[in-house]
């Protein structure tokens, strides 16, 4: 049911009046990738504990430093994160990347990041 709709949408996107085998294959691939991505996103939201434990130690330290200095509802300039000098540049980049991968940090635009609350106040080390 989904594949014919996606395939016909792909044909319209490519200004084609016919749905070709290639468009069907691409549509199935897009649908599979979207399904896998949605399933992973849903499981991340449901499984906060596993995400919290899997943060690198430097990422956890950076997370709480950002919470203490900025809080959750503030756009934090990326320049200020990298100017914090908490870690060496390479370690800081690794910590930021880990926070982004685990969903504890996201980028609302190219110049800012924002924290996502993944710990309650009793879990702070």
């Amino acid at each position: 049911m989904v594949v014919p709709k996606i395939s016909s949408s792909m044909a319209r996107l490519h200004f084609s009046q016919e749905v070709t085998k290639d468009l069907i294959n691409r549509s199935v691939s897009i649908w599979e990738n979207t399904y896998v991505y949605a399933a992973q996103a849903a499981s991340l939201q449901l499984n906060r504990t596993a995400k919290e434990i899997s943060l690198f130690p430097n990422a956890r330290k950076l997370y709480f430093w950002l919470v203490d200095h900025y809080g959750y509802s503030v756009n934090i300039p990326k320049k200020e994160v990298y100017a914090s000098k908490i870690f060496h540049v390479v370690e800081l980049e690794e910590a930021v990347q880990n926070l982004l991968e685990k969903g504890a940090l996201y980028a609302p635009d190219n110049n800012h990041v924002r924290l996502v609350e993944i710990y309650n106040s009793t879990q702070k080390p």
Side-chain angles (χ1 to χ4, degrees):
M1 180 91 147
V2 173
V3 174
K5 290 182 180 183
I6 295 175
S7 299
S8 63
S9 295
M10 290 285 289
R12 287 192 302 274
L13 180 68
H14 293 285
F15 303 106
S16 175
Q17 294 182 358
E18 296 180 9
V19 177
T20 64
K21 187 175 181 179
D22 179 52
L23 285 176
I24 293 171
N25 289 337
R26 288 172 61 190
S27 300
V28 169
S29 176
I30 289 170
W31 182 83
E32 288 174 343
N33 291 341
T34 304
Y35 178 80
V36 168
Y37 177 78
Q40 288 174 346
S43 70
L44 284 177
Q45 293 302 319
L46 294 175
N47 195 2
R48 292 267 189 209
T49 306
K51 183 166 49 173
E52 293 164 6
I53 293 170
S54 64
L55 287 178
F56 295 152
N58 286 348
R60 185 174 291 128
K61 183 176 178 181
L62 176 62
Y63 178 85
F64 286 114
W65 185 88
L66 291 171
V67 168
D68 290 342
H69 286 82
Y70 297 99
Y72 294 109
S73 59
V74 177
N75 285 346
I76 305 165
K78 284 184 182 178
K79 290 179 186 177
E80 290 185 27
V81 174
Y82 288 103
S84 65
K85 306 287 185 193
I86 297 174
F87 307 113
H88 185 269
V89 177
V90 174
E91 292 172 327
L92 185 62
E93 181 64 38
E94 201 174 78
V96 169
Q97 188 62 35
N98 186 239
L99 290 172
L100 288 169
E101 288 172 358
K102 300 302 179 182
L105 193 67
Y106 72 97
D109 59 44
N110 288 336
N111 299 319
H112 297 89
V113 292
R114 196 169 205 169
L115 288 170
V116 175
E117 189 171 358
I118 60 170
Y119 292 98
N120 64 36
S121 60
T122 60
Q123 292 174 314
K124 188 172 177 179

